[in-house]
Amino acid sequence: MSQLALTIATTDYDHFRDFRTGKVKAEGIDLNWLTLGHHECFARFTANREFDLSELSFAKFCTQVTRSDSDIIGLPVICSRLFRFPLFMSIKKVASKASKT
């Protein structure tokens, strides 16, 4: 039986490393894993669909999946272990109003 050839693009996460290097293999899949920077993964996938699988930011995913001609689906894979909620930004006026209530 032939292997399913897949190309995946992510940044170099330690918790994917064994899978990326081939130390751990997925049965029936021949992986071509590209280690790229975030911007390059996002840009090349959204513009040209250069990979079968790619990491995307939630914002990039939302803009892609809501298009009328969308051809992607989301898979619930957590690439980054960084808790991103502290990275939400607010206009100073809104933040000061919220802290007074």
Side-chain angles (χ1 to χ4, degrees):
M1 188 161 141
S2 65
Q3 301 254 31
L4 175 64
L6 292 175
T7 299
I8 183 170
T10 66
T11 56
D12 185 23
Y13 296 111
D14 61 335
H15 48 286
F16 290 162
R17 196 162 293 137
D18 287 345
F19 195 47
R20 181 180 53 79
T21 62
K23 188 173 181 180
V24 174
K25 295 186 185 274
E27 188 175 325
I29 298 175
D30 179 24
L31 269 182
N32 176 28
W33 200 299
L34 303 175
T35 305
L36 306 171
H38 288 110
H39 177 72
E40 189 173 5
C41 284
F42 301 172
R44 289 174 59 183
F45 183 76
T46 58
N48 304 316
R49 301 295 195 263
E50 292 184 41
F51 325 113
D52 300 303
L53 303 160
S54 178
E55 101 179 75
L56 281 180
S57 68
F58 188 65
K60 289 280 189 192
F61 171 73
C62 287
T63 59
Q64 292 293 305
V65 79
T66 56
R67 293 172 36 180
S68 62
D69 62 343
S70 180
D71 62 344
I72 67 170
I73 59 168
L75 301 173
V77 176
I78 306 302
C79 297
S80 176
R81 292 182 181 181
L82 175 66
F83 184 68
R84 298 192 182 272
F85 291 125
L87 303 178
F88 278 102
M89 306 301 169
S90 173
I91 299 170
K92 287 182 181 181
K93 280 193 236 178
V94 174
S96 65
K97 286 179 186 177
S99 65
K100 291 177 185 176
T101 58

